[in-house]
Amino acid sequence: AVPGGGAPDRVMGSCGSKPEPPDPDSKVAPVPDADSNAAPAPASPPKSRSFPTKHAKKWYERELSGAVVRKSAHDLTSAEEDRIVKAWLRMMESEDGVPGSSQYFRLALIHGGSQARQTYLSHMKDGKHPLCVHGGECFPNWHRVYMLDFEQTLRCADIDLGGDGNIGLPYWDWSIKPKGKTMLPMLAQKLMAQTIGSQGQGLFPDDFLPLTRGGHPIKAIEPDGTPFYKTMVWTHELDRELEWNLGHRGYDIAGSQRKYLLQHQHRGSSLALDAAPHGSAHVALGSLGRRKPGTEMVGSVPTAAFHVTFWLHHCNVDRVYESFLA
């Protein structure tokens, strides 16, 4: 009804427009009488709707729960070492056969980038700038997050291999040499001795490095024909030299650690930690055998994170930093 009791002159549609007249050829279902006992016509089934499917998470995107315990690499059992080695190698595998797509490469590249020529990565497609922080107060905090990223990926790799992911990134305490054990933990020795690429001499699979901007494989080969990222068999001679480097030769790792822990101001202590013991351990390991091929990359920022000992070393730096904060 309209005001005044008159009939409306038209009926408006839902959008305020006048409806079209019915098509004379269309068939309209009869409306049942109110007194009819006929059952109402069944409702038409709703049209099916397609929803975008959420992509399945990759193995390294798993959500992890619970805390893990970081053990000294010197205290691991042989079974624990082998379990970590398997997860570590899983991280080195490229995804879907794409060169340079492994999680280990992703993580290592964050630290030193690809611009330095000694990494053999300066011609890689989609090069990266180095993101590591040194020489500033944020040094320990930046590397703490970095270690956590590596540790979580390691745990995901363990789950992908059938484990429960309850493994922590071990630390290498370079301030002591446990009685009856080598200076360099056995875990590091096992990882450095892997022969998984380049005819049994490569530390990484042959598709570990990405392609160049021209779409060609990167050949990180030294002048002597050996791969730059190479396997290295640890020896008693190298271990004795490492012990000497860490305890003497001006480094005195244990002494610099004690001095660091006596600091009171965070900024000054961060600078001290960066220089020694952190920097000293890098140089002590990277200068072995007059920069023996196989460990020399540990002593250089652009290449350090590609070497397996980097992660055990920096995990200990994080442990020492936590001792300072406590």
Side-chain angles (χ1 to χ4, degrees), residues 33-57:
D33 186 76
D35 297 331
S36 172
N37 293 324
S44 301
K47 293 182 179 180
S48 61
R49 297 179 62 186
S50 59
F51 296 92
T53 56
K54 189 176 181 179
H55 76 282
K57 288 188 176 181

Side-chain angles (χ1 to χ4, degrees), residues 66-244:
V68 293
V69 176
R70 292 178 175 176
K71 296 182 178 181
S72 168
H74 279 120
D75 294 337
L76 296 173
T77 66
S78 180
E80 288 174 325
E81 293 168 353
D82 293 342
R83 179 181 176 184
I84 293 173
V85 167
K86 289 178 180 178
W88 205 290
L89 296 181
R90 176 66 183 94
M91 291 173 60
M92 293 180 179
E93 296 178 12
S94 295
E95 301 298 316
D96 302 321
V98 179
S101 62
S102 73
Q103 286 301 295
Y104 194 98
F105 182 81
R106 172 187 71 82
L107 288 159
L109 194 66
I110 290 173
H111 191 264
S114 61
Q115 297 176 325
R117 290 189 177 276
Q118 65 263 40
T119 65
Y120 289 83
L121 299 175
S122 58
H123 298 293
M124 68 170 279
K125 183 180 180 181
D126 302 325
K128 305 295 181 184
H129 292 284
L131 299 177
C132 61
V133 174
H134 293 91
E137 187 172 1
C138 291
F139 161 74
N141 304 95
W142 186 93
H143 285 82
R144 166 163 287 190
V145 177
Y146 194 33
M147 292 301 105
L148 183 60
D149 192 352
F150 188 95
E151 181 176 64
Q152 290 180 331
T153 308
L154 185 71
R155 294 177 62 191
C156 288
D158 180 65
I159 295 174
D160 190 58
L161 295 174
D164 58 8
N166 188 24
I167 57 174
L169 178 61
Y171 61 87
W172 168 35
D173 186 354
W174 14 249
S175 67
I176 59 172
K177 179 184 178 183
K179 185 177 180 180
K181 296 186 178 182
T182 55
M183 192 71 206
L184 188 69
M186 185 57 64
L187 173 63
Q189 298 180 40
K190 287 182 177 181
L191 288 167
M192 290 165 58
Q194 297 300 313
T195 54
I196 54 179
S198 298
Q199 300 177 351
Q201 292 181 306
L203 190 62
F204 305 118
D206 289 335
D207 62 352
F208 177 77
L209 299 180
L211 300 178
T212 66
R213 288 185 287 273
H216 304 292
I218 292 179
K219 298 186 180 301
I221 303 298
E222 297 279 69
D224 63 359
T226 62
F228 175 69
Y229 303 96
K230 62 169 56 63
T231 291
M232 182 178 184
V233 177
W234 198 245
T235 65
H236 291 296
E237 290 74 21
L238 287 172
D239 202 71
R240 284 196 296 268
E241 183 182 352
L242 177 62
E243 183 181 4
W244 172 262

